[in-house]
Amino acid sequence: MIHFNSLGRPEKTWVVLKKSRVRNLMSTTLNTEDAVRQRYALAAEAREESLCCPVDYDAKYLKVIPQEVIDRDYGCGDPSKYVSVGETVLDLGSGGGKICFIASQVVGPTGRVIGVDMNDTMLDLARRSQPVVAATVGHDNVTFCKGKIQDMAIDRDKVDEYLKQNPITSEQALQRYEAYLADQRLNSPMIPDNSVDVVVSNCVLNLVDASEKEQLFEEIFRVLKPGGRAVISDIVSDEYVPKHLQDDADLWSGCISGAFQETEFLDAFEFAGFYGISMPILQVQPWQTVEGIEFRSATVIAYKGKEGPCFEHHEAVIYRGPYATVSDDNGHVFERGVRTAVCRKTFKIMTAGPYAGDFIPVEPRVPISGENAEPFECSGGAELRSPKVTKGAGYAATIQAEDNCCGDGDCC
Ligand SMILES: C[S@@+](CC[C@H](N)C(=O)[O-])C[C@H]1O[C@@H](n2cnc3c(N)ncnc32)[C@H](O)[C@@H]1O
């Protein structure tokens, strides 16, 4: 039987099997959004100690940030460590704006930072701090938007404005409002498709209702440019969180009971279509333990860009090791030291980004131009690339060692 995901794409059976272990597809009876809104409205006004998880930010970036923002730090990691000069960064659940203000300094005046949060009080804190930071760093490249991170097409500042002008007092008015939202999604999404280099988030994804978590990952994928990446710090659990804990408003809004189980967190990126998924940080010590379940901070990095057609350019990659065999998120298998045939897309993927340094690129002696490239059957598994193919038919050169020194320095 063929299974289809929420985007209508067919899924491999093993994905469906793995998906059956995703606990977060279950819904809680709690109104999680209400619990989160109330908690963070208060936490924006006064520091709430129980929401704070110690994080080692780079002190030089904190100097320019107002103390009231530093005090309302409710993050659990530092995804800003993984952004670069000139990039467009989107921070999900930007709170008081701390990660945006750090990222603003890292990306510099040629980059851009957008923070999204649904909470007016948090947005007020971030927006009033923005000119203070900009005046000190000498550039203003941050925008704070009001929206839900699981639905980033809708700009909720604009919705507020619309509803002021057009209060909904009849079914017809509701129809007009629905048409307005549909138009916003189609013609003027708050965060457009394929527009962001890096999506970051610090301790927020766990707060999104279980029924909307899948849509949240689809949104992260939608807004990223092909080749872009998500860097997400969040709280994860070592065991699945039982329903009675998920129904507890304090535990949910306190970044505990909405947490993904640690494997499930990685699976969520995989199901959304990401590749090169890694977990550079999983804290050894738990942040909190509830009924024997440990909750700790993790940071995950995941890349967008494995979709698209496959073409034959006579390229290969050689996996350097140390593992005997590895496989990627498209099911390709790479044996250590073996010249493995890959399509152009996989060649580019395996020789950059998360895999840079793990594979030796082998390019053909005579390049194949785009218009001459045949489709490549990328069905997974390993196919050897004969050196004869890479070098081309009839290659029979003899080259003396002195004509072709090996490595740097003196020839032997
Ligand atoms: C734990 S705080 C983290 C704030 C910030 N990232 C930091 O490092 O201090 C969670 C923030 O996410 C926001 N938030 C929670 N759920 C959200 C959602 N579904 N859409 C937008 N913002 C959300 C809250 O309003 C709050 O500001």
Side-chain angles (χ1 to χ4, degrees):
M1 182 176 154
I2 299 174
H3 294 264
F4 294 91
N5 67 15
S6 59
L7 295 175
R9 295 192 198 118
E11 286 183 339
K12 290 181 189 164
T13 313
W14 66 268
V15 171
V16 175
L17 285 174
K18 279 177 96 178
K19 204 164 188 168
S20 64
R21 71 173 189 233
V22 177
R23 180 266 315 166
N24 268 314
L25 295 178
M26 269 174 22
S27 270
T28 59
T29 44
L30 175 74
N31 183 338
T32 56
E33 186 174 320
D34 206 35
V36 169
R37 281 182 186 277
Q38 285 184 30
R39 183 95 178 242
Y40 289 95
L42 293 173
E45 277 167 358
R47 176 178 170 87
E48 201 195 315
E49 222 48 66
S50 64
L51 291 174
C52 301
C53 174
V55 178
D56 193 15
Y57 300 105
D58 187 333
K60 73 172 179 281
Y61 296 121
L62 298 183
K63 284 185 197 146
V64 301
I65 301 177
Q67 192 56 42
E68 59 176 346
V69 173
I70 307 278
D71 287 346
R72 283 117 174 119
D73 169 20
Y74 302 124
C76 60
D78 185 5
S80 67
K81 283 192 174 133
Y82 302 87
V83 306
S84 305
V85 174
E87 289 188 313
T88 296
V89 178
L90 172 66
D91 181 19
L92 309 183
S94 42
K98 179 201 61 252
I99 289 292
C100 291
F101 297 137
I102 297 175
S104 159
Q105 298 169 70
V106 178
V107 301
T110 57
R112 202 178 151 219
V113 182
I114 307 150
V116 174
D117 206 289
M118 67 177 181
N119 192 301
D120 287 314
T121 328
M122 278 293 183
L123 283 166
D124 283 348
L125 172 60
R127 284 172 173 163
R128 71 172 176 262
S129 305
Q130 184 181 345
V132 180
V133 175
T136 318
V137 298
H139 60 262
D140 186 3
N141 57 357
V142 185
T143 314
F144 290 103
C145 301
K146 181 172 166 181
K148 291 200 206 179
I149 59 174
Q150 63 272 40
D151 186 9
M152 291 187 279
I154 299 300
D155 182 330
R156 281 164 191 266
D157 279 324
K158 286 190 184 167
V159 169
D160 277 342
E161 204 46 49
Y162 175 93
L163 291 172
K164 251 188 242 157
Q165 309 287 332
N166 308 279
I168 299 175
T169 51
S170 67
E171 199 272 336
Q172 274 185 332
L174 178 61
Q175 279 183 34
R176 283 194 294 275
Y177 173 61
E178 286 168 350
Y180 166 78
L181 288 183
D183 179 68
Q184 291 293 302
R185 279 182 209 292
L186 192 66
N187 297 316
S188 132
M190 179 177 76
I191 311 293
D193 296 3
N194 305 316
S195 61
V196 170
D197 296 303
V198 199
V199 170
V200 298
S201 185
N202 196 2
C203 213
V204 182
L205 271 53
N206 68 80
L207 296 169
V208 173
D209 193 78
S211 64
E212 294 180 308
K213 277 192 163 80
E214 194 172 354
Q215 183 186 327
L216 167 63
F217 278 83
E218 287 167 8
E219 276 293 85
I220 298 174
F221 193 82
R222 175 183 73 76
V223 301
L224 276 169
K225 294 176 186 171
R229 62 199 184 282
V231 185
I232 309 293
S233 298
D234 219 313
I235 296 296
V236 294
S237 58
D238 61 347
E239 296 179 61
Y240 292 109
V241 181
K243 189 159 182 325
H244 74 276
L245 294 185
Q246 290 193 50
D247 285 337
D248 181 314
D250 272 350
L251 287 178
W252 188 283
S253 61
C255 295
I256 297 288
S257 57
F260 283 94
Q261 191 274 339
E262 59 205 22
T263 315
E264 176 191 58
F265 191 36
L266 296 169
D267 288 348
F269 289 92
E270 189 182 330
F271 299 147
F274 287 93
Y275 77 88
I277 303 155
S278 63
M279 187 156 53
I281 295 174
L282 179 65
Q283 284 183 339
V284 176
Q285 287 303 320
W287 171 48
Q288 293 193 40
T289 304
V290 180
E291 296 186 5
I293 302 172
E294 293 181 349
F295 296 86
R296 50 171 56 75
S297 173
T299 297
V300 167
I301 306 179
Y303 290 75
K304 172 177 171 178
K306 72 181 170 76
E307 53 288 334
C310 300
F311 289 103
E312 172 65 281
H313 284 260
H314 287 176
E315 291 160 332
V317 293
I318 303 173
Y319 172 52
R320 291 180 192 274
Y323 302 101
T325 307
V326 289
S327 63
D328 70 4
D329 289 297
N330 269 338
H332 302 109
V333 177
F334 302 95
E335 273 180 54
R336 181 177 50 214
V338 172
R339 288 169 182 255
T340 307
V342 286
C343 71
R344 165 57 55 89
K345 186 183 64 174
T346 306
F347 181 81
K348 285 190 171 165
I349 286 177
M350 303 321 286
T351 53
Y355 306 115
D358 292 342
F359 290 84
I360 300 161
V362 183
E363 295 185 68
R365 196 173 57 84
V366 181
I368 296 177
S369 66
E371 65 266 25
N372 290 329
E374 302 277 334
F376 181 100
E377 186 51 44
C378 240
S379 54
E383 195 189 315
L384 304 192
R385 175 74 83 200
S386 162
K388 295 262 182 243
V389 173
T390 316
K391 288 181 288 192
Y395 181 73
T398 301
I399 300 171
Q400 298 297 320
E402 58 266 32
D403 297 338
N404 192 11
C405 292
C406 37
D408 299 333
D410 298 338
C411 284
C412 43

